[in-house]
C-alpha cells in the first residue's frame, strides 16, 4: 500500500497534543459539501456535523426532530468533501438515551457508513456507562455539557448553565466523570467564562467552547452564524460576512436577467451545425405528422 499524500488528517491524538502545546483547536459546523469544503479551505481543524442542522438547514425549531438518517446523509456528504479536518457527528436526540445497545449500534453506523471519526453526545455523569462502552467498542466520543439543546424541554429554554454554585460544581464533576469514562474532548456550551476556565484547567482532555469564553482549549461555532445565514446572530457568535444579503442579491439579479431576456447569454449556449438544423427542419413535419398543415 502506498503512502497517503496530502495534508495530515487531524485525529484524536492531534487534539491531545494541541491541548498539551496550547495551540487553539478550531472547530466549525458543516452539513454538506460546500460548507465542508469552505471549512477545510479556511483551515478548521475539526468539523462538527451538528444536529443544529435541524434548524440551520432543515427548517425545524429545535434539534429534537433530527433523525439518524439525517445525520448519516449529512455526515457522509461532509466526509466525502474534506481530507484534513476531524469529522465529528452529533448523535441525534433519541438515538443514545433509551438503550446502550442501540446507542452503540447507532454510533457504529455513523463511523462505518458515514465515515465520521468520532461522535458527540449531550449529557453528564449519567452517560458514563455509555461512553465507556462506546470507547471500548472503538468509538471516539466527545461529551457536551452546559446548555445541551436536546434537553431544551427540561431546561425550559436556552440559557447559560453553571451560573449558580451547585450547578457549576455539578458541571465540573460531570466533566471529570466524562473524562474518566474515556471522552477525548468536551464541548462546553453557554457556560460562564470562569467556570469554563476551571473545567479547562482541571481536565487533561481539551475543552471546546461555544459561548464559554476564551480560556477553553478550542472554539466551535455554527457555520450559518459566522457567515450570516442565520435569522439572528446569537451573542456568543461573530458574524464575519453577510451571506444572506450577498446571496439574495445574486439570486435577484438572476431573476431580473431571465425576465429581461439577458440570461442565458451567448456564453451560456451551445449550438447545432447548420446541417443538423436543416435536416431537423426537413424531418420534423414527417415525424410529427404535421405534413400539409
Ligand atoms: O449541533 C451543534 O451545532 C452543536 C454545537 C452548538 C456545539 O452541538
Amino acid at each position: 500500500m502506498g503512502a497517503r499524500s496530502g495534508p495530515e488528517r487531524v485525529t484524536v491524538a492531534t487534539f491531545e497534543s494541541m491541548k498539551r502545546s496550547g495551540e487553539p483547536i478550531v472547530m466549525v459546523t458543516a452539513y454538506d459539501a460546500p460548507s465542508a469544503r469552505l471549512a477545510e479551505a479556511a483551515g478548521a481543524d475539526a468539523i462538527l456535523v451538528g444536529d443544529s442542522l435541524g434548524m440551520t438547514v432543515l427548517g425545524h425549531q429545535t434539534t429534537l426532530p433530527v433523525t439518524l438518517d439525517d445525520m448519516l446523509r449529512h455526515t457522509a456528504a461532509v466526509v466525502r468533501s474534506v481530507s484534513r479536518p476531524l469529522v465529528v457527528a452529533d448523535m441525534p436526540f433519541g438515538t443514545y438515551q433509551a438503550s446502550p445497545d442501540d446507542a452503540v449500534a447507532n454510533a457504529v453506523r455513523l463511523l462505518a457508513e458515514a465515515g465520521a471519526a468520532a461522535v458527540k453526545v449531550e449529557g453528564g455523569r449519567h452517560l458514563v456507562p455509555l461512553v465507556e462502552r462506546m470507547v471500548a467498542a472503538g468509538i471516539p466520543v466527545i461529551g457536551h455539557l452546559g446548555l445541551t439543546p436536546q434537553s431544551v424541554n427540561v431546561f425550559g429554554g436556552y440559557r447559560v448553565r453553571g451560573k449558580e454554585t451547585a450547578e457549576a460544581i455539578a458541571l465540573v464533576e460531570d466533566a471529570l466523570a466524562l473524562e474518566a469514562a474515556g471522552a477525548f474532548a468536551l464541548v462546553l456550551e453557554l457556560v460562564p467564562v470562569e467556570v469554563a476556565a476551571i473545567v479547562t484547567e482541571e481536565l487533561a482532555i481539551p475543552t471546546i467552547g461555544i459561548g464559554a469564553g476564551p480560556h477553553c482549549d478550542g472554539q466551535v461555532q455554527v457555520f450559518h452564524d459566522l457567515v450570516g445565514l442565520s435569522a439572528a446572530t446569537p451573542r456568543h457568535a461573530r458574524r464575519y460576512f453577510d451571506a444572506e444579503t450577498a446571496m439574495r442579491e445574486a439570486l435577484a439579479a438572476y431573476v431580473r436577467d431571465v425576465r429581461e431576456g439577458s440570461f442565458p447569454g451567448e456564453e451560456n449556449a451551445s449550438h447545432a451545425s447548420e446541417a443538423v438544423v436543416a435536416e431537423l427542419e426537413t424531418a420534423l413535419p414527417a415525424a410529427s405528422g404535421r405534413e400539409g398543415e
Side-chain angles (χ1 to χ4, degrees), residues 28 30 32-44 47 81-82 223 227:
V28 63
D32 54 16
S35 57
R37 277 201 310 271
L38 289 167
E40 172 160 43
I47 291 178
S81 310
V82 299
F223 180 93
V227 302

Side-chain angles (χ1 to χ4, degrees), residues 29 31 48 50-52 90 120 144 187 189 210 220 222:
T29 68
Y31 316 100
L48 173 65
D51 59 358
S52 51
D90 251 339
K120 178 167 79 59
H144 184 154
V187 165
E189 179 166 359
I210 173 164
V220 56
V222 170

Side-chain angles (χ1 to χ4, degrees), residues 4-287:
R4 193 163 57 86
S5 61
E8 201 167 308
R9 196 174 272 284
V10 175
T11 65
V12 169
T14 321
F15 267 43
E16 214 177 291
S17 70
M18 289 173 88
K19 165 96 183 184
R20 276 200 306 273
S21 68
E23 192 185 338
I25 297 167
V26 186
M27 182 185 256
V28 63
T29 68
Y31 316 100
D32 54 16
S35 57
R37 277 201 310 271
L38 289 167
E40 172 160 43
D45 302 304
I47 291 178
L48 173 65
V49 188
D51 59 358
S52 51
L53 72 84
M55 286 101 97
T56 54
V57 300
L58 299 180
H60 297 300
Q61 294 299 315
T62 69
T63 59
L64 303 187
V66 174
T67 65
L68 186 64
D69 282 344
D70 292 332
M71 293 309 301
L72 287 166
R73 183 172 303 107
H74 287 272
T75 301
V78 167
V79 169
R80 280 195 291 272
S81 310
V82 299
S83 51
R84 178 181 173 271
L86 181 90
V87 178
V88 182
D90 251 339
M91 294 204 64
F93 182 59
T95 62
Y96 58 99
Q97 288 88 347
S99 131
D101 287 342
D102 286 351
V104 172
N106 292 335
V108 163
R109 289 190 66 191
L110 288 165
L111 267 65
E113 288 176 36
V119 298
K120 178 167 79 59
V121 288
E122 296 183 6
R125 65 200 80 174
H126 64 281
L127 289 182
V128 162
L130 177 62
V131 173
E132 284 173 347
R133 277 198 55 182
M134 285 184 171
V135 175
I139 303 160
V141 179
I142 296 188
H144 184 154
L145 293 173
L147 173 78
T148 45
Q150 291 176 9
S151 302
V152 61
N153 290 319
V154 176
F155 295 149
Y158 298 105
R159 67 163 182 88
V160 175
R161 311 293 306 174
K163 275 191 150 179
E164 312 302 330
T165 312
E167 217 174 53
I169 290 173
L171 198 139
V172 177
E173 287 174 353
D174 282 343
L176 289 166
L178 290 170
E179 174 178 65
F184 76 93
L186 274 192
V187 165
L188 298 178
E189 179 166 359
L190 293 196
V191 170
V193 173
E194 298 75 12
V195 177
I198 290 170
V199 173
T200 303
E201 186 70 33
E202 290 291 317
L203 295 186
I205 58 171
T207 57
I208 316 281
I210 173 164
H215 307 302
C216 294
D217 299 300
Q219 299 291 327
V220 56
Q221 286 289 323
V222 170
F223 180 93
H224 290 58
D225 293 340
L226 297 177
V227 302
L229 279 174
S230 305
T233 311
R235 178 155 173 250
H236 61 70
R238 185 175 290 165
R239 182 182 268 232
Y240 289 89
F241 184 56
D242 186 358
E244 176 105 19
T245 302
M247 291 164 88
R248 193 182 335 107
E249 284 174 3
L251 290 170
Y254 161 67
V255 169
R256 182 199 60 217
D257 288 354
V258 171
R259 292 196 174 132
E260 286 176 359
S262 67
F263 179 86
E266 188 49 36
E267 72 282 11
N268 308 115
S270 57
H271 293 279
S273 68
E274 280 177 22
V276 168
V277 175
E279 276 164 18
L280 183 60
E281 279 170 353
T282 315
L284 206 52

